[in-house]
């Protein structure tokens, strides 16, 4: 998709919306998430309710779990790893909020873990964070500081680089969120945690290539994220919002309308359950649980 400009993506997305059965299109099925296929990268946006948990299975077998959901989603995270037969993985905690890290102590306790990435931020010293930190320590591991420029090893053929946090200090905790771009062939994914406008601005100013096929929408569709300049730079074909029942008004109509106005096909875990994206390096096909 990298040769298609912004206008092209809008046009193509509009075509896809009005077309079924397109080879490059969108499939919906009630089938459970499929096992990884050789030569394909599978990204599973796990339905954890109000929070984030995303599993990346690279074509060569490397696995990265980005975030571990809220308390209500812990069982979903653990059963996804079990069902998929994961034995070994790395973990990226985008930031310390409980809706992103609750299952991670359990994951670290249960599985062989290579690296655990976490941004350096003023610690919230919550019980949840303490449990996570203790699990990492008990395993003889240390947190690898997550910041712009750090690479994550997802094996041959896949590039995974952190694009944020760009700065060392922010006023809003959400802006410490680690943002990861994963590229496989012509396809790419941008995972933004809860990064807000200020961090988006810093990524734009840093000059990195933000263009991605799939954007995990920042902060559950809050108005504080997915600013127009950022969205234009990413110009995704697909957006995924990880969100559940909440009192914050997530996802906001502002963001839903913004995505719609750019013709971006949007998936929501609160309405469609777990969303699975499979890339063969040329195309991404998304399917949903519901
Ligand atoms: Zn969050």
């Amino acid at each position: 998709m990298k040769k298609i400009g912004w206008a092209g993506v809008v046009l193509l997305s509009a075509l896809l919306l009005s077309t079924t059965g397109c080879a490059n299109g969108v499939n919906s099925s009630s089938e459970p998430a499929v096992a990884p296929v050789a030569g394909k990268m599978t990204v599973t946006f796990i339905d954890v309710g109000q929070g984030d948990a995303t599993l990346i299975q690279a074509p060569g077998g490397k696995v990265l779990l980005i975030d571990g959901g809220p308390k209500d989603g812990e069982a979903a995270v653990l059963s996804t790893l079990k069902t998929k037969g994961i034995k070994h993985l790395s973990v990226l905690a985008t930031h310390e909020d409980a809706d992103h890290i609750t299952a991670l102590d359990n994951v670290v306790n249960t599985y062989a873990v290579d690296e655990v990435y976490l941004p350096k931020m003023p610690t919230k010293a919550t019980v949840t964070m303490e449990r996570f930190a203790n699990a990492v320590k008990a395993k003889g591991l240390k947190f690898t500081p997550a910041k712009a420029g750090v690479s994550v090893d997802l094996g041959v053929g896949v590039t995974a680089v952190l694009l944020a946090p760009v700065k060392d200090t922010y006023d809003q905790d959400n802006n410490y969120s680690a943002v990861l771009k994963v590229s496989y062939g012509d396809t790419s994914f941008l995972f933004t945690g809860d990064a807000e406008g200020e961090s988006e601005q810093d990524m734009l100013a840093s000059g990195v290539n933000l263009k991605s096929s799939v954007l995990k929408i920042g902060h559950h569709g809050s108005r504080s994220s997915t600013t127009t300049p950022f969205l234009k730079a990413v110009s995704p074909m697909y957006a995924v919002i990880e969100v559940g029942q909440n009192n914050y008004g997530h996802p906001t109509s502002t963001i839903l309308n913004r995505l719609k106005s750019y013709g971006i096909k949007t998936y929501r875990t609160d309405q469609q359950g777990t969303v699975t994206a499979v890339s063969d390096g040329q195309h991404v096909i998304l399917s949903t649980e519901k």
Side-chain angles (χ1 to χ4, degrees):
M1 286 309 129
K2 68 182 174 188
K3 288 190 181 120
I4 297 172
W6 175 246
V9 168
V10 172
L11 178 62
L12 188 50
S13 298
L15 282 170
L16 286 172
L17 285 172
S18 61
T19 311
T20 51
C22 175
N24 188 24
V26 179
N27 294 336
S28 278
S29 84
S30 55
E31 294 295 311
V34 290
V37 181
K40 299 203 173 176
M41 181 165 81
T42 303
V43 178
T44 309
F45 301 89
I46 306 166
D47 177 13
V48 290
Q50 177 68 9
D52 277 11
T54 310
L55 186 71
I56 303 174
Q57 295 167 275
K62 295 227 182 220
V63 177
L64 177 70
L65 176 66
I66 305 177
D67 288 338
K71 186 75 197 151
D72 290 349
E74 190 163 20
V77 175
L78 297 172
S79 76
T80 301
L81 294 175
K82 201 173 171 191
T83 308
K84 287 173 170 287
I86 305 295
K87 300 269 185 285
H88 202 129
L89 77 168
S90 285
V91 171
L92 166 63
T94 59
H95 61 304
E96 293 191 8
D97 281 359
D99 58 321
H100 294 252
I101 62 164
T102 301
L104 296 183
D105 61 333
N106 234 320
V107 170
V108 170
N109 286 332
T110 310
Y111 293 92
V113 175
D114 286 328
E115 299 270 356
V116 184
Y117 301 88
L118 176 78
K120 276 194 170 157
M121 59 184 288
T123 184
K124 297 199 164 179
T126 56
V127 173
T128 313
M129 185 56 215
E130 228 167 84
R131 275 201 205 112
F132 177 32
N134 287 339
V136 169
K137 201 173 165 191
K139 203 93 180 203
L141 295 164
K142 277 188 175 150
F143 288 116
T144 303
K147 59 179 180 182
V150 170
S151 288
V152 175
D153 181 12
L154 283 178
V156 180
V158 179
T159 309
V161 184
L162 289 166
L163 307 187
V166 174
K167 288 193 223 143
D168 293 332
T169 53
Y170 285 98
D171 289 338
Q172 297 291 329
D173 282 351
N174 283 339
N175 284 323
Y176 287 98
S177 285
V179 174
L180 182 72
K181 182 173 179 181
V182 178
S183 306
Y184 175 46
D186 292 340
T187 68
S188 46
F189 294 74
L190 193 62
F191 305 98
T192 54
D194 281 353
E196 299 184 354
E198 189 183 352
S199 172
E200 292 179 355
Q201 182 74 47
D202 289 342
M203 284 185 264
L204 286 165
S206 74
V208 290
N209 179 5
L210 292 163
K211 176 78 187 81
S212 303
S213 321
V214 180
L215 171 64
K216 198 294 290 181
I217 293 298
H219 198 196
H220 322 290
S222 160
R223 241 193 328 263
S224 53
S225 305
T226 322
T227 54
T228 299
F230 184 76
L231 186 61
K232 278 186 167 180
V234 180
S235 73
M237 185 166 277
Y238 306 111
V240 180
I241 306 176
E242 295 196 68
V243 67
Q245 223 177 15
N246 66 87
N247 298 322
Y248 310 109
H250 298 162
T252 59
S253 54
T254 306
I255 300 306
L256 292 174
N257 289 335
R258 189 169 295 159
L259 293 167
K260 201 174 170 188
S261 73
Y262 286 105
I264 298 161
K265 170 85 177 154
T266 301
Y267 293 82
R268 297 170 53 162
T269 55
D270 61 338
Q271 294 182 343
Q272 291 157 298
T274 293
V275 177
T276 305
V278 178
S279 166
D280 62 2
Q282 290 187 300
H283 305 294
V284 184
I285 294 178
L286 286 93
S287 60
T288 62
E289 184 186 7
K290 295 180 196 165

